[in-house]
Amino acid sequence: MIVTVTMNPAIDKTVDIDALERGGLNRIHHVELDAGGKGINVSKTIHELGGTSLATGFIAGNAGKIIRNVMEEWQIENDFIEVSGETRTNTKVFESSGELTELNEPGPVVEEKDIKALLEKLLGYAGEDTLFVLAGSVPQGVSKDIYREITNLVHQKGAKVLLDADGELFTNALDAAPDIIKPNRAELEQYAGMDYIASEQELLSVAQKLMEKGIGTVAVSMGKSGAMFLQEGYQVKCPGLKVKAHSTVGAGDAMVAALSYSWSQGMPMEETVKMCMAVSAGAVTTIGTKPPAKEVVSSLIEQVIIEKMK
């Protein structure tokens, strides 16, 4: 069972323009609205791949109702906790040059009773056959230790954790040794205190040190450069697939979905790597934060090249 946890979901509003004119008039060519937030994007992608998951987290107000309705339309099982306030709307401005500007709202303020209710809910789903996906930012009122707390809590019942976060959320959670992590290049550089673009060998070294903390699988997404994947006795790199990109939004979430889906299907690592590369490449060809079709993923899997790293 896969449980995706989205503490700070959003309505994702993607607008297409020619070029952003600061302080001037910008005419929008196309608008796309999606129920979003990292965990929700993961659930949608798992569904598209033919898998199942349960989506939970905090929702609020009318935007929260829209997210719940979208999950039900997709026939994705959900068990959200309603809180006061209004779920945020995140606006993504996509220029014809490929430049992306994101305007993210803060979201509602979550109270201690809501956090306690969520922890009790997650513990109820925890078991040896459960993978929790802890992904994205947290709303106001939630500690940056929350992912560490959840990881420790569900580990007590034998559950697994996949972490996709940045900053303090990422660093703090590492102490609880999540089973799978998926940092991107920038997040790994930030964690390691690198104020420059690190080489692949430097990123590999950081990833290896993370595995020494007891983390079983490390996947590092590197945008157009591809990704690297590590398990004990296994470390490989895959060049990025050549596709016609519409937007890079959601590519990281797609890789998390592929990691989760592969785990649920018991796929060997090599198949998991191919799935990750194909799903994330397919995601950049879609409009907004929509997942790639399963047929697209199947065609892209054939293009994946796996190179061993030393």
Side-chain angles (χ1 to χ4, degrees):
M1 178 186 192
I2 301 169
V3 178
T4 63
V5 183
T6 312
M7 294 203 176
N8 206 11
I11 300 297
D12 284 334
K13 183 176 182 180
T14 305
V15 300
D16 289 350
I17 63 174
D18 288 331
L20 183 63
E21 294 288 341
R22 292 189 60 185
L25 175 65
N26 290 274
R27 297 194 182 278
I28 296 170
H29 302 310
H30 180 80
V31 178
E32 197 75 27
L33 292 175
D34 297 304
K38 280 184 170 294
I40 288 171
N41 292 339
V42 170
S43 278
K44 291 192 296 183
T45 304
I46 290 171
H47 176 81
E48 191 66 34
L49 292 172
T52 59
S53 68
L54 180 141
T56 186
F58 300 121
I59 55 173
N62 290 326
K65 291 176 183 176
I66 292 171
I67 288 175
R68 190 194 296 277
N69 290 340
V70 169
M71 292 292 96
E72 290 174 357
E73 286 173 11
W74 278 65
Q75 297 183 326
I76 294 172
E77 189 177 356
N78 63 87
D79 191 8
F80 292 104
I81 290 175
E82 292 192 32
V83 301
S84 301
E86 187 71 34
T87 290
R88 61 193 181 141
T89 295
N90 291 343
T91 304
K92 305 172 190 304
V93 183
F94 190 73
E95 301 176 57
S96 57
S97 64
E99 190 79 14
L100 175 69
T101 302
E102 299 190 63
L103 305 171
N104 290 355
E105 296 179 7
V109 178
V110 174
E111 299 179 17
E112 190 62 36
K113 64 180 178 63
D114 301 318
I115 299 170
K116 183 179 178 182
L118 179 63
L119 293 178
E120 290 176 353
K121 191 182 292 290
L122 297 182
L123 194 58
Y125 285 116
E128 292 183 358
D129 61 345
T130 310
L131 174 69
F132 289 91
V133 178
L134 308 180
S137 65
V138 296
Q140 300 171 77
V142 178
S143 165
K144 293 298 176 75
D145 283 328
I146 190 66
Y147 287 161
R148 175 172 59 190
E149 184 176 356
I150 292 172
T151 301
N152 282 327
L153 191 68
V154 302
H155 270 172
Q156 292 174 14
K157 296 188 71 173
K160 307 296 184 184
V161 172
L162 193 167
L163 176 71
D164 181 21
D166 63 5
E168 288 181 75
L169 284 166
F170 176 75
T171 302
N172 295 345
L174 294 177
D175 292 338
D179 303 270
I180 308 169
I181 61 173
K182 195 227 64 73
N184 61 31
R185 172 192 283 275
E187 289 162 353
L188 208 58
E189 289 168 347
Q190 180 187 28
Y191 165 75
M194 300 172 176
D195 57 357
Y196 57 92
I197 298 175
S199 68
E200 288 182 2
Q201 202 60 40
E202 287 175 310
L203 293 177
L204 176 62
S205 178
V206 176
Q208 289 170 333
K209 289 175 182 176
L210 287 173
M211 291 191 69
E212 293 173 5
K213 291 179 174 287
I215 297 164
T217 302
V218 179
V220 183
S221 54
M222 303 184 294
K224 292 180 181 178
S225 298
M228 59 178 69
F229 302 86
L230 291 82
Q231 276 189 347
E232 185 176 357
Y234 183 92
Q235 49 189 44
V236 300
K237 176 206 167 183
C238 298
L241 301 183
K242 290 180 170 57
V243 295
K244 185 177 180 181
H246 182 272
S247 170
T248 58
V249 174
D253 300 341
M255 185 171 288
V256 171
L259 285 165
S260 307
Y261 175 76
S262 299
W263 175 89
S264 70
Q265 300 298 309
M267 290 184 184
M269 193 57 183
E270 193 124 321
E271 287 184 35
T272 297
V273 168
K274 290 181 179 180
M275 179 66 71
C276 286
M277 295 303 298
V279 176
S280 57
V284 306
T285 68
T286 66
I287 297 174
T289 53
K290 289 181 171 55
K294 193 171 183 178
E295 297 74 23
V296 172
V297 172
S298 297
S299 66
L300 289 171
I301 283 176
E302 303 302 319
Q303 301 178 30
V304 177
I305 297 171
I306 300 177
E307 304 169 353
K308 289 185 179 180
M309 299 187 75
K310 296 179 180 180

